[in-house]
Amino acid sequence: MSVPEITFEESLRHTNQLGRQARDAGKAGDFATAIRIWQQLLAHPCAHHQVIAYEVWDDIHHLHRRAGEYDAAIEAKKTAIELGYRSEPDPEADIAECHLDAGRREEADRIFRDLRARTPDDVWLYNAAGFSYAHAGDDREAERWLRDGIAVAIRTGDPDQVVMQLLDLLDASLRALGQEPDAELTRQVDAFSEAWEPIDKARSWGDVAFEEERPCGYCGFDPARSHAEMDERARRNRERILSVDAPETLARLQALPSYEPARPRLQSETNLSVAWFPAPEWETALARWPDLLNNLPREHMAYSHEIEARVKRIARAIPGQPLHVALLSVDALIAHAALEGQDAGTAEARASYAAELVRTGAARAWPPGRNEPCWCGSGRKYKQCCGPVPAAPED
């Protein structure tokens, strides 16, 4: 067997660097450069085991759309679909929206009509079509799709909780048409939402044939060996993240008799929480413990965004676990720390009190729905406040 030209770690650094450069170029609005770098990444000798090709092609699709290159965006999406990209709604909905943006209404109508015939209970399809037609200036057609979508959501139990988003879009289209929101429909949706309970939802994407992994002669990647090494690195990274963001939770987890360090997820009964001071308490906390500013911003909204980023980092490291934001008061924290024999000014004391608030049901579940009020108390919807904040970097 030939000697690899680079190590697996070097391969990982190369591909990660290309991904960061592409994302940075896209954020800066340099779409052509971002697309070129993504294509360079796809051509890398290690791309077959370092990246998921259909996800890269989907990124290229969105860059072409942002650049107004709709035909190129359609071709990129078709390539992603051929390679196994699946989504809800069906990814062809993005192709229909490209046709709408390009002024090809008949082609868009045909695709949306065909998708509805194939997936009549996909609430996300009605959401996508309603948004797309409203964006194209046809609020009357958007209204029809959104009303039908609300009916489907109520009939199917709305497992993905899309109905309020549909109603918000419908209200916007009605206002654009010079009409008032539909009071009776709003009442029905509110009643449905109040009585809503989670239900299981099956997804049938069984037509996707995943490419079998193969060894890489360029970097020495071996599916039989390298995955175990990557899992171990991921385990150490997860524990490092928890040691910073949720040290008390990590300590409790490690104390469990059934704790398995190599598990990619925490035990299902573990509820994670991140401590946060609401605006009235933040200045009091800073006055008492000024070292909080060693790694947190002073301005409260920036502080809240930092907490959002940390929660998202935890969610990405240990997916599937219940997450909460625990609202701390200075006096209650001091009292709790005294009972536990802790220094109230430490991260451990804050984490311990946050865990107690979760245990007693006094913490806020995270994340709220996109159209629900943001957890930080700003009064804005989550999607317009902390929702867009990206996850904190793992390094």
Side-chain angles (χ1 to χ4, degrees):
M1 182 176 179
S2 61
V3 178
E5 298 185 33
I6 62 174
T7 66
F8 175 77
E9 287 72 19
E10 288 173 325
S11 165
L12 187 62
R13 284 197 298 272
H14 291 174
T15 52
N16 283 348
Q17 182 180 29
L18 288 170
R20 284 194 296 270
Q21 290 173 349
R23 285 187 287 272
D24 289 344
K27 290 177 183 177
D30 190 352
F31 307 129
T33 297
I35 291 168
R36 177 180 56 78
I37 297 174
W38 281 128
Q39 291 172 336
Q40 184 180 349
L41 175 56
L42 288 170
H44 192 282
C46 299
H48 68 92
H49 65 84
Q50 292 287 22
V51 300
I52 300 174
Y54 62 70
E55 291 185 351
V56 176
W57 278 106
D58 185 58
D59 286 332
I60 293 173
H61 158 80
H62 287 289
L63 288 165
H64 279 303
R65 283 182 64 172
R66 291 170 65 191
E69 300 163 353
Y70 301 117
D71 289 334
I74 289 172
E75 291 306 312
K77 179 64 80 169
K78 287 181 177 178
T79 301
I81 294 171
E82 290 171 3
L83 292 173
Y85 184 87
R86 299 294 183 270
S87 65
E88 290 183 322
D90 188 292
E92 288 188 26
D94 286 328
I95 295 177
E97 187 169 347
C98 284
H99 283 299
L100 271 178
D101 291 339
R104 297 189 287 261
R105 173 63 183 265
E106 290 185 3
E107 188 63 20
D109 288 347
R110 181 191 64 78
I111 294 174
F112 277 130
R113 185 171 57 248
D114 290 348
L115 288 175
R116 181 167 180 170
R118 295 205 311 259
T119 57
D121 290 345
D122 181 3
V123 181
W124 287 110
L125 172 62
Y126 299 87
N127 184 78
F131 175 85
S132 299
Y133 282 114
H135 182 70
D138 190 346
D139 285 286
R140 185 63 67 193
E141 183 67 12
E143 178 192 359
R144 284 190 282 269
W145 276 92
L146 295 167
R147 286 185 181 277
D148 289 348
I150 290 172
V152 170
I154 293 175
R155 175 172 58 78
T156 60
D158 194 22
D160 290 333
Q161 294 181 275
V162 188
V163 70
M164 292 305 297
Q165 189 169 333
L166 290 166
L167 184 62
D168 282 349
L169 290 171
L170 175 61
D171 287 349
S173 285
L174 290 174
R175 285 193 294 270
L177 293 167
Q179 301 174 217
E180 292 296 318
D182 188 326
E184 175 58 25
L185 185 59
T186 299
R187 185 194 64 76
Q188 293 176 17
V189 170
D190 287 343
F192 170 81
S193 297
E194 288 177 6
W196 183 87
E197 294 183 357
I199 60 174
D200 292 333
K201 176 181 178 180
R203 290 177 171 84
S204 55
W205 293 345
D207 61 325
V208 180
F210 294 99
E211 184 179 355
E212 186 176 353
E213 289 186 317
R214 64 185 189 276
C216 179
Y218 189 71
C219 73
F221 169 80
D222 181 357
R225 171 181 51 81
S226 300
H227 281 303
E229 296 174 356
M230 288 188 287
D231 287 346
E232 175 61 19
R233 279 195 294 271
R235 180 194 66 78
R236 290 197 299 267
N237 190 48
R238 281 191 294 271
E239 292 197 348
R240 180 179 54 78
I241 290 172
L242 286 176
S243 71
V244 173
D245 292 338
E248 194 273 344
T249 295
L250 177 60
R252 288 189 293 115
L253 175 68
Q254 292 173 333
L256 292 173
S258 59
Y259 177 61
E260 301 175 25
R263 283 179 62 87
R265 296 190 181 190
L266 299 179
Q267 301 296 324
S268 60
E269 67 271 15
T270 300
N271 286 279
L272 302 182
S273 59
V274 173
W276 171 75
F277 290 101
E281 297 290 330
W282 181 231
E283 289 300 324
T284 303
L286 290 179
R288 191 173 188 95
W289 303 298
D291 62 330
L292 285 168
L293 294 178
N294 290 347
N295 60 1
L296 291 168
R298 172 176 286 278
E299 196 271 321
H300 190 264
M301 181 56 70
Y303 160 63
S304 299
H305 286 176
E306 174 65 21
I307 296 300
E308 172 77 15
R310 294 184 182 189
V311 178
K312 283 177 177 166
R313 178 169 65 177
I314 294 174
R316 186 169 58 189
I318 41 176
Q321 297 300 316
L323 292 169
H324 300 79
V325 176
L327 284 64
L328 307 187
S329 78
V330 171
D331 290 343
L333 172 59
I334 293 172
H336 174 83
L339 289 174
E340 298 293 325
Q342 298 171 323
D343 179 352
T346 63
E348 289 74 17
R350 292 192 295 274
S352 174
Y353 185 43
E356 177 65 14
L357 291 175
V358 172
R359 189 188 67 79
T360 58
R364 290 180 179 173
W366 180 96
R370 281 173 45 81
N371 289 300
E372 293 178 2
C374 190
W375 60 265
C376 75
S378 67
R380 293 185 294 169
K381 292 182 180 180
Y382 178 64
K383 68 181 180 182
Q384 297 167 338
C385 189
C386 290
V389 175
E394 293 186 0
D395 55 354

